Amino acid sequence: MLYSHVLVAVDLIEECREVADHAMKLAKALDAKLSLLHVVEPLAMAYGGDVPMDLSMLQQQQFEQAKERMQMFAADYGLPDDRLQIAFGHPRQEIHRVTEEQSCDLIGVGSHGRHGLALLLGSTANDVLHGAPCDVIAVRLGKKS
Ligand code: AMP
């Protein structure tokens, strides 16, 4: 079998449906399993480190909202709940960790095909590729427009 378990990293915005649709077709053609993973980034990380207040309640809410958004995002794909994963942390690290934990052999991410300054600033797709424990497919986003 070429690939047996595809892990699709989704940021849960509509644009990312292109990645999930593509990976779903690929998984069907290969008779592979498919899981979706969304990583909730800690608020402290988003604000660059020290935040002088207790963020645990807010983070719990963030997590619950992500679960709901994942359910809505995945509704069309008919995946069982154990294939819908939510992790907490840095996207690259969590995507790599879950890949290994779940023995995934292909990661799907969206790519904006950035160039210039935006490329220098990096993207999740770039980040995930570096040190990935398996193959990565970067689905170009916004091809249709
Ligand atoms: P970006 O860094 O905005 O160019 O995101 C590119 C792709 O990275 C998205 O299409 C997703 O596949 C993936 N991605 C970005 N953020 C997340 C996240 N928080 N959780 C899971 N995947 C993500």
Side-chain angles (χ1 to χ4, degrees):
M1 201 186 265
L2 192 53
Y3 297 109
S4 60
H5 192 176
V6 184
L7 181 71
V8 188
V10 288
D11 47 16
L12 299 180
I13 57 175
E14 215 34 48
E15 177 191 61
C16 207
R17 206 164 279 289
E18 275 182 70
V19 188
D21 288 352
H22 191 86
M24 182 58 91
K25 286 183 198 149
L26 192 66
K28 276 205 176 118
L30 297 173
D31 198 21
K33 279 203 301 189
L34 183 126
S35 296
L36 301 180
L37 168 67
H38 177 68
V39 183
V40 178
E41 293 183 66
L43 288 169
M45 219 160 79
Y47 288 100
D50 282 345
V51 181
M53 57 177 151
D54 182 10
L55 296 175
S56 51
M57 279 272 287
L58 275 176
Q59 289 185 167
Q60 187 55 38
Q61 281 175 12
Q62 238 191 326
F63 205 84
E64 294 304 322
Q65 278 172 8
K67 269 206 240 170
E68 278 175 31
R69 288 172 62 209
M70 174 65 103
Q71 293 283 353
M72 280 175 358
F73 184 91
D76 295 342
Y77 301 111
L79 294 167
D81 281 353
D82 64 346
R83 303 272 184 81
L84 308 180
Q85 317 242 348
I86 308 284
F88 194 72
H90 188 280
R92 173 184 185 270
Q93 276 170 16
E94 289 307 301
I95 293 166
H96 289 179
R97 181 185 64 75
V98 172
T99 299
E100 288 185 321
E101 211 174 85
Q102 307 270 320
S103 307
C104 299
D105 45 14
L106 183 65
I107 301 170
V109 280
S111 160
H112 289 103
R114 291 189 177 103
H115 46 83
L117 189 59
L119 180 65
L120 286 178
L121 291 173
S123 69
T124 310
N126 244 342
D127 221 18
V128 167
L129 189 59
H130 292 284
C134 66
D135 292 352
V136 177
I137 181 167
V139 176
R140 184 70 182 266
L141 299 170
K143 276 181 299 207
K144 287 171 204 146
S145 55

